[in-house]
Amino acid sequence: MPAAHAPSPRTTVRRGAARAAYDADTVRSVLSAGVIAHVGVTTDDGPIVLPMAYGVRDGAAGAEVLIHGALANAMMRVGESLDVCLTVTIVDGLVVARTPFHNSMNYRSVVVRGMASAIREPDAKLAALRVINDHVTPTWADARPPSNSDLRATLVLSIPLAESSAKVRSGDPIDEDIDLDGPHWAGVVPLETRWGRPDAARDLRGNPPVPPGVAALAGTDAHPSR
Ligand SMILES: Cc1cc2nc3c(=O)[nH]c(=O)nc-3n(C[C@H](O)[C@H](O)[C@H](O)COP(=O)(O)OP(=O)(O)OC[C@H]3O[C@@H](n4cnc5c(N)ncnc54)[C@H](O)[C@@H]3O)c2cc1C
């Protein structure tokens, strides 16, 4: 994994630039903690942004984000190589200021821009699907593998992490001096997201054990900060 990369002109954060980071460790830590990516493309019908599962790994050509979808998915129909913008956002808290103008959120976010390319070779496709699956739900080793028809119906895309940016806000509201002695409350409301206890499917037959990776999720922070 590269230690750092310079932002490109189009991944340079302009407003709130002090909160921006472009090093691989920060970008990867946000992507590791996130669960859902919002992926935007331009289609013949206009722009579309879809929430999708994703995975991250160091590929042969460098770090990459992997996404998958049905071939019929509007985004996947766009073509073989596709200009995308992928965003992952984690909200860590509400920042309540003394005036609504200064209300904010504590957050960690990443924006990845680049050309997505399809992974078609069957073994490479399976390996990529495992990365996506296990990013959120580590069950690949404990579940039925995808069938050949599952694989044929699924397109897997790789997006290089080379052009990416992170933005992180933490801490108190930033109020104006004239408000500091005023009557209004200010502070932070943390947002905590935890996985609950696994709840067996109503049609579960026999008594298969909860996969270890699923059992281990219970009670853990869904968006760990490190
Ligand atoms: C939960 C949340 C809520 C937000 N709410 C608002 C809001 O209500 N209004 C508002 O104006 N802004 C909001 N922001 C900030 C917003 O995402 C942009 O960072 C901000 O608008 C400044 O963009 P810019 O003009 O500097 O960047 P642009 O010129 O729009 O973008 C240039 C490049 O900067 C990078 N970049 C921009 N924003 C981010 C980001 N958040 N994370 C990682 N990389 C980024 C991207 O690589 C992008 O290609 C919010 C952010 C988060 C995470």
Side-chain angles (χ1 to χ4, degrees):
M1 176 176 25
H5 59 262
S8 71
R10 67 177 188 165
T11 54
T12 302
V13 176
R14 290 168 182 83
R15 290 182 301 129
R19 296 184 177 132
Y22 306 97
D23 63 286
D25 286 348
T26 306
V27 169
R28 288 286 285 262
S29 74
V30 175
L31 292 176
S32 293
V35 177
I36 296 298
H38 286 87
V39 186
V41 295
T42 307
T43 73
D44 291 342
D45 293 335
I48 182 166
V49 177
L50 295 177
M52 303 179 92
Y54 68 94
V56 189
R57 71 174 176 190
D58 290 312
E64 59 186 348
V65 186
L66 302 164
I67 56 174
H68 74 306
L71 284 174
N73 175 323
M75 182 172 298
M76 302 295 186
R77 281 201 304 270
V78 172
E80 189 65 22
S81 191
L82 152 81
D83 202 2
V84 303
C85 178
L86 178 149
T87 301
V88 171
T89 309
I90 301 166
V91 176
D92 291 321
L94 290 180
V95 177
V96 184
R98 293 164 178 87
T99 166
F101 186 81
H102 291 306
N103 283 348
S104 187
M105 291 181 216
N106 283 335
Y107 59 76
R108 290 165 277 161
S109 60
V110 157
V111 173
V112 182
R113 304 183 68 169
M115 298 300 291
S117 53
I119 297 176
R120 298 201 183 280
E121 196 278 315
D123 286 343
K125 197 167 166 178
L126 264 182
L129 286 168
R130 179 175 189 156
V131 171
I132 297 168
N133 181 77
D134 286 354
H135 173 69
V136 181
T137 318
T139 56
W140 193 273
D142 303 296
R144 176 180 67 73
S147 67
N148 286 338
S149 63
D150 291 338
L151 281 181
R152 275 195 300 276
T154 305
L155 184 61
V156 180
L157 296 176
S158 159
I159 306 156
L161 265 183
E163 221 185 338
S164 56
S165 55
K167 203 171 170 187
V168 178
R169 189 203 191 282
S170 60
D172 282 345
I174 302 172
D175 272 311
E176 293 172 39
D177 287 347
I178 53 163
D179 290 322
L180 297 184
D181 291 321
H184 304 294
W185 189 84
V188 172
V189 185
L191 177 61
E192 294 177 4
T193 311
R194 295 194 175 277
W195 301 113
R197 194 172 51 81
D199 194 8
R202 278 183 288 273
D203 63 358
L204 193 71
R205 296 180 187 175
N207 192 22
V210 179
V214 173
L217 288 173
T220 63
D221 186 345
H223 300 298
S225 55
R226 58 176 67 85

